[in-house]
Amino acid sequence: MSWSRNVFKNWSESVIHKIGDALADEGTGKEYKQMGRILKSSDIPECSGIYLFRDYRDEKNIYCGKTEGQTLRKRLTQHLRGDSRKLRQGEEYTVRWFAEGSSWFGSNTGLLEAIAVIYLNPERNDGNDWKTYLRGQNPTKVLDQAKNLGFYSNDRDEREEFCLRFIEYICQNI
């Protein structure tokens, strides 16, 4: 899916990594380098958050996840080493994350992941656990979190587009 604007402006910079390859600072001596960027585990923050894997060209959403009581560094390192059913060994992906370090961020990574899964519709998020995190939520809080994720701005048309896409996804997946 192509975006008319940068919906990831509040996320980390996109980095490319081949699943199963060692990270540059893990003492293996092997550095996986692509487009001038070497991914090191020390690049990944030690806090909670959500993350997104996209295809090598950074065009197609593959998988979105949350840290679930771990740090982003620990959870992403597990995925990048190949300890995941959702990502294919030897395949190259771009990865970015949204860290808890943001001043507005609450401790509800489940809600943030639910919003991201609904809005981005990654191809390998096959469960419906987003329902659990949305049930009973204040709609204003959901919209505020979506705005903070960068999925729309103060522009009324962007907010309306987000709301329509959100409602359409929920109606198709209930």
Side-chain angles (χ1 to χ4, degrees):
M1 174 177 292
S2 64
W3 305 97
S4 57
R5 59 190 183 77
N6 183 9
V7 298
F8 299 113
K9 66 182 180 218
N10 297 341
W11 295 57
S12 71
E13 178 185 346
S14 175
V15 232
I16 297 175
H17 190 80
K18 183 186 283 184
I19 302 302
D21 277 2
L23 298 167
D25 56 351
E26 292 183 317
T28 62
K30 180 178 181 178
E31 292 186 347
Y32 179 72
K33 188 173 182 178
Q34 188 67 38
M35 297 171 58
R37 181 81 198 266
I38 300 170
L39 181 59
K40 299 178 181 178
S41 63
S42 58
D43 292 339
I44 306 170
E46 286 276 7
C47 61
S48 61
I50 62 173
Y51 50 89
L52 176 66
F53 284 91
R54 301 182 90 200
D55 70 336
Y56 173 78
R57 291 183 195 91
D58 202 20
E59 296 173 346
K60 187 176 181 184
N61 301 314
I62 306 296
Y63 178 70
C64 181
K66 60 187 173 300
T67 53
E68 293 188 287
Q70 301 178 50
T71 65
L72 277 165
R73 183 177 300 169
K74 183 173 182 171
R75 188 69 186 118
L76 282 173
T77 300
Q78 290 169 343
H79 280 299
L80 296 170
R81 286 186 182 145
D83 302 339
S84 172
R85 308 178 280 112
K86 304 288 185 179
L87 304 171
R88 295 185 181 110
Q89 192 79 327
E91 218 172 277
E92 294 177 349
Y93 297 94
T94 57
V95 61
R96 56 173 47 90
W97 53 86
F98 191 86
E100 184 177 22
S102 304
S103 59
W104 62 269
F105 192 100
S107 60
N108 194 353
T109 56
L111 175 60
L112 292 170
E113 181 199 33
I115 294 167
V117 165
I118 290 169
Y119 186 74
L120 300 171
N121 196 15
E123 68 178 36
R124 296 187 193 150
N125 282 79
D126 48 1
N128 279 330
D129 57 334
W130 57 266
K131 291 178 185 178
T132 303
Y133 296 106
L134 286 179
R135 190 170 287 117
Q137 287 291 338
N138 179 323
T140 302
K141 181 179 180 181
V142 172
L143 285 172
D144 287 346
Q145 298 288 23
K147 182 178 177 183
N148 289 324
L149 284 168
F151 295 157
Y152 74 90
S153 67
N154 287 327
D155 181 72
R156 180 179 216 150
D157 290 341
E158 284 183 9
R159 181 179 166 141
E160 186 174 313
E161 177 189 345
F162 170 81
C163 290
L164 288 173
R165 181 184 246 174
F166 203 79
I167 292 167
E168 178 182 17
Y169 183 92
I170 289 172
C171 290
Q172 290 173 356
N173 291 282
I174 288 185

